[in-house]
Amino acid sequence: MKLLEPSKVQLKLWMTLQQAKVRKREKLFLAEGAKVVKDLLQSAWKARALLILQGKEDHFAEVASAVSGEIDVYRLNEKEWQRLSQDSSSEGIMAVASVPEMPSSDDSQVMRNDRLLLLHEINNPNNLGALLRTADWFGFKTVLFSAGSVDFTHPKVVRTAMGSLFHLTLIAGVDFAAILPGFKASFRLVGSDVGNGVTPHPCTGRTALLMGSESHGLPQHLLDLTDERWRIPGVGSAQSLSLPQAAAIMMYACTSK
């Protein structure tokens, strides 16, 4: 199989995908790493090109052969690769992926879910990637983000999510203050509150879990809309749990019987 050589125009476009405004305009992003690329290729999300570092052709020959004819496969030299890669110890494979069209927050597909994860102003990309991976594990198949959240195609989000990004339905730019009153007719709305609330416990029925950023938590006007507030008690001297740790405990509680 012959690998293509990228043009200067292609390389320039791929390099500028590090910018959120370009990803939004082009509806493209880079997905780096063997597991990430594998999950992308096996999902309903679409890859536009496969990029392989020179010297890694034999290692990824099977992957390249499987997609050859469906998408273009390019070989990049070390200099070209370093302009694109976000990984200090890169495995030597990445894909150019398309951002799929996502449903709106009032779509019937969303309202049929048993569990929703609602994220308010999560602007740390590593935290968001970890949250998506945890949501995938616990079966929260739809995740809604408020305005002010980091772009879910940010390279660090894609990398930290480790392929879980491609298993989820993601809806960005949601105004939670506007939609939550309507959601309460279909879901029990649980909010995370480090100051007050009950211990996470098994849920019955359909649940929407609302969480805020690690540094600021949820604003009072959103907490006032919840049916129940949860806090995680601790007995040690740590000031708090990280957001991904707290979210994992709460999502586990939501799935327990």
Side-chain angles (χ1 to χ4, degrees), residues 101-113:
E101 292 295 327
M102 294 295 181
S104 64
S105 59
D106 60 354
D107 190 278
S108 60
Q109 175 185 343
V110 175
M111 303 309 290
R112 286 196 298 268
N113 281 272

Side-chain angles (χ1 to χ4, degrees), residues 240-253:
S240 65
L241 293 172
S242 70
L243 176 60
Q245 289 171 328
I249 292 170
M250 293 185 180
M251 281 189 263
Y252 174 73

Side-chain angles (χ1 to χ4, degrees), residues 42 46 65 70 123 128 131 135 139-140 150 185 188 194 235 240 244 253:
Q42 292 178 343
K46 301 299 183 184
S65 296
E70 299 177 13
N123 49 33
L128 181 54
L131 288 168
F140 285 74
V150 66
R188 182 166 185 79
V194 297
V235 296
S240 65

Side-chain angles (χ1 to χ4, degrees), residues 117-179:
L117 180 61
L118 316 179
L119 300 176
H120 177 72
E121 295 186 357
I122 309 301
N123 49 33
N124 181 306
N126 288 321
N127 276 353
L128 181 54
L131 288 168
L132 296 181
R133 187 175 181 181
T134 305
D136 185 22
W137 179 261
F138 287 113
F140 285 74
K141 292 299 185 182
T142 298
V143 183
L144 288 76
F145 311 91
S146 73
S149 299
V150 66
D151 173 18
F152 60 78
T153 64
H154 187 291
K156 291 182 180 179
V157 176
V158 178
R159 185 63 169 167
T160 309
M162 289 299 291
S164 287
L165 177 71
F166 311 120
H167 306 159
L168 303 170
T169 298
L170 307 173
I171 305 171
V174 177
D175 183 347
F176 286 139
I179 71 165

